[in-house]
Amino acid sequence: MTVLTNAFVGLHIIGIASLLGGFLSQMKAMGAGTARFVPAMLHGALTMLITGVLLVGFREMGDGAPLDHVKIGVKLAVLFVILAIVYVKRDEEHAEKGLFAAVGGLTVANIFIAVLWH
């Protein structure tokens, strides 16, 4: 089970890298007002959602330390907001600067929640 859990942690990290990488690749375009939500951002967020739910399930089934359900709930809520924005705006030619920046900020916030909240 440890190998499976570690594999899904790796996939979860790949998902966050895809979401954040998609955002960072559009930063110059955001300054010019031509940024758009690229498919990598949607796919990364969906990967994070699926692997995150599976990781919580694995942890609940195992004998490991108890989960902080408030932390998981906050991370899930932030991810749902990110997913909703990216999904709804994915086909638009250009994203509004504020909305695009919000997705980047929420992504970074989700990373810091995962790392710093103990």
Side-chain angles (χ1 to χ4, degrees), residues 6-88:
N6 289 339
F8 278 100
V9 168
L11 290 172
H12 195 69
I13 292 170
I14 289 170
I16 194 79
S18 178
L19 176 59
L20 187 60
F23 171 77
L24 293 174
S25 72
Q26 294 288 309
M27 292 248 338
K28 186 174 182 179
M30 183 177 72
T34 60
R36 60 184 302 268
F37 292 107
V38 295
M41 295 173 76
L42 177 62
H43 298 155
L46 288 171
T47 300
M48 287 175 57
L49 176 64
I50 293 166
T51 57
V53 168
L54 288 170
L55 286 168
V56 168
F58 292 158
R59 186 80 172 269
E60 289 289 337
M61 289 188 311
D63 300 343
L67 282 172
D68 184 347
H69 292 285
V70 175
K71 174 183 174 180
I72 300 300
V74 169
K75 285 183 55 52
L76 185 61
V78 170
L79 183 58
F80 274 149
V81 171
I82 292 168
L83 260 171
I85 293 170
V86 174
Y87 184 78
V88 169

